[in-house]
Amino acid sequence: MATSEYEKKALGKETLAKYRELILLYDITEKLAASLDPQEVASLIIQEANKLINANKVSLMLINENTGLLEVIAGLGDEAKTKMSLKVGEGIAGYIALTGKAEIINNLSDDPRFLVGTRKVSSMMCAPLRIKDKTIGVINISSEEPANYTAEDLKLLSALTLQAAAAIENARLYDALKEAFLTAVSTLAETIEKRDTYTGGHTKRVMEYSLAIGKYFGLPDNEMERLKLAAVLHDVGKIGVRDDILLKNGKLDEEEYREMKRHTIYGEEVLKYIKYFKDIIPGVKSHHERYDGKGYPEGLSGTQIDIIARIIAVGDTFDAMTSDRPYRNALSKEVAYAEIKKCAGSQFDPEVVRAFLKAMALNN
Ligand SMILES: [Fe+2]
């Protein structure tokens, strides 16, 4: 049977709309797959929803797992400023979170669930973000003018929320995994530290000092991540140093000192077999290098030394000076600040020392 001209046109239009929808969703999937930060994922979804559907206001709400409340975590228009939170079941968004079913409400003023407040809204679409059978949040799309949202709009929004829920869940899992990994790594570092002459907490403090310096130095987020891990693992190579040297109470002789210094190289040896640690090797291996080139193990100088290592060097030295050691008592913070300052340009990178002093002044 021949298809009529009218049917052909209608089919063409429908195919085109489907194709457009597919391209847009593919585009979103690609962008979402590249991001593992929940906040970034939420902002991206909001922007895309706004591109796809005619609206003045878009917001994404997630259920806070601790409080059980729905909270706005990203938004466009007035919604971005709202710090609104709702109980599940409360208002329209709360109702959608409860039922798990998307809805169009084209005449909001007649809807008894609508919480009027100060917001001027006429039409709204709301869809749940679902993972398996669980609702984790909702997306609200609304318009100040009557928008007459259609079933087609809702279908598009639902397709978007499917992607959004999966991306947010991924980002959350990645965060949890990173946290678990850092805990495992810290436990390892603390176990190694127990063999050392520090009275405890050295690894954690070096990490905290290093992160404070990194912040005032203006390191970008990805470098801060690298710094954190390298600071925790800076002395991991001590695992390879013999107990009689590592735990010796008195002064090390020349041979023993040479062996002790090798913990920097052992650090590289330990880490190089794990792909994930590749990026932090320079931070671990070079944390005893000196800015003037007189450090070890390679005698690197200036910017030849990875920035992460230049930062850890200051954090590590400061903590060593302000901790009790078997052969001397802790120095006061003031004496240690003066000592670090004196070594700017010789032992330490002067820019790093500047960031350190700024961080310490503001933290005390
Ligand atoms: Fe060290």
Side-chain angles (χ1 to χ4, degrees):
M1 198 172 67
T3 317
S4 73
E5 272 309 301
Y6 173 76
E7 276 172 327
K8 267 189 197 160
K9 265 190 192 154
L11 269 176
K13 221 172 146 187
E14 205 179 297
T15 316
L16 201 67
K18 279 262 171 299
Y19 182 68
R20 185 173 152 262
E21 191 180 314
L22 199 70
I23 294 281
L24 283 167
L25 287 175
Y26 178 73
D27 193 38
I28 297 164
T29 313
E30 286 245 290
K31 283 185 193 158
L32 288 177
S35 174
L36 283 168
D37 171 25
Q39 191 65 48
E40 199 180 301
V41 167
S43 304
L44 199 64
I45 290 159
I46 294 284
Q47 283 163 27
E48 296 299 330
N50 194 46
K51 262 192 244 166
L52 287 171
I53 300 154
N54 169 31
N56 314 100
K57 298 173 188 179
V58 185
S59 65
L60 191 147
M61 302 176 90
L62 289 181
I63 297 176
N64 180 322
E65 280 166 355
N66 297 320
T67 61
L69 294 175
L70 260 178
E71 294 169 352
V72 175
I73 68 154
L76 272 188
D78 302 350
E79 306 289 290
K81 292 172 225 122
T82 334
K83 285 274 168 277
M84 190 173 72
S85 65
L86 287 174
K87 286 185 195 136
V88 171
E90 193 181 16
I92 292 174
Y95 183 81
I96 302 300
L98 185 69
T99 61
K101 291 200 168 47
E103 264 193 63
I104 299 174
I105 305 119
N106 273 326
N107 202 347
L108 265 178
S109 52
D110 292 346
D111 197 303
R113 296 168 301 178
F114 183 53
L115 305 169
V116 183
T118 54
R119 296 176 308 148
K120 184 173 173 285
V121 179
S122 298
S123 307
M124 180 173 178
M125 267 196 301
C126 185
L129 295 168
R130 285 173 69 79
I131 293 290
K132 293 182 190 131
D133 290 331
K134 195 175 145 212
T135 300
I136 61 163
V138 294
I139 291 189
N140 303 302
I141 290 217
S142 53
S143 167
E144 285 181 9
E145 308 306 326
N148 277 324
Y149 291 125
T150 62
E152 199 56 41
D153 290 330
L154 191 67
K155 228 171 90 189
L156 206 54
L157 182 63
S158 300
L160 179 67
T161 55
L162 216 64
Q163 305 273 359
I168 286 174
E169 189 66 359
N170 262 348
R172 280 179 168 179
L173 286 173
Y174 180 70
D175 258 7
L177 195 67
K178 244 180 16 189
E179 209 43 55
F181 179 71
L182 191 71
T183 307
V185 166
S186 302
T187 310
L188 167 73
E190 277 156 25
T191 312
I192 296 164
E193 188 188 295
K194 289 214 169 71
R195 287 184 63 227
D196 209 333
T197 50
Y198 284 100
T199 41
H202 171 67
T203 303
K204 191 163 171 271
R205 288 191 304 269
V206 172
M207 180 191 83
E208 285 165 359
Y209 295 140
S210 300
L211 288 179
I213 300 169
K215 186 176 152 203
Y216 286 94
F217 191 85
L219 281 190
D221 286 355
N222 57 338
E223 286 287 87
M224 288 293 276
E225 289 279 328
R226 205 163 68 87
L227 175 62
K228 191 174 185 180
L229 208 53
V232 169
L233 289 171
H234 73 280
D235 272 345
V236 72
K238 285 191 176 167
I239 210 166
V241 178
R242 294 199 321 263
D243 273 356
D244 59 312
I245 297 175
L246 197 62
L247 301 174
K248 189 172 175 180
N249 264 333
K251 209 170 177 312
L252 300 178
D253 67 28
E254 205 177 311
E255 167 58 30
E256 290 166 337
Y257 186 49
R258 202 176 310 132
E259 176 58 18
M260 183 63 145
K261 290 204 289 194
R262 291 185 65 82
H263 78 275
T264 50
I265 294 164
Y266 296 149
E268 179 182 28
E269 300 277 314
V270 169
L271 298 176
K272 75 178 179 194
Y273 297 104
I274 302 168
K275 210 170 129 201
Y276 191 84
F277 288 140
K278 224 178 113 236
D279 288 349
I280 64 159
I281 288 176
V284 172
K285 188 181 181 183
S286 305
H287 75 277
H288 287 290
E289 297 288 4
R290 291 172 51 115
Y291 198 68
D292 59 11
K294 293 179 186 162
Y296 60 89
E298 294 172 292
L300 302 177
S301 66
T303 51
Q304 281 181 322
I305 308 163
D306 191 297
I307 180 60
I308 304 303
R310 278 179 272 152
I311 290 175
I312 296 171
V314 174
D316 187 25
T317 309
F318 178 70
D319 189 62
M321 285 195 287
T322 50
S323 302
D324 282 327
R325 305 305 300 269
Y327 42 90
R328 61 148 175 77
N329 288 333
L331 302 177
S332 74
K333 280 189 175 174
E334 286 62 34
V335 172
Y337 291 150
E339 190 60 31
I340 298 260
K341 215 166 153 182
K342 207 175 84 191
C343 297
S346 54
Q347 188 174 350
F348 306 122
D349 177 345
E351 289 296 321
V352 171
V353 170
R354 203 164 300 150
F356 166 77
L357 293 171
K358 213 189 278 175
M360 292 299 130
L362 292 170
N363 278 344
N364 283 318

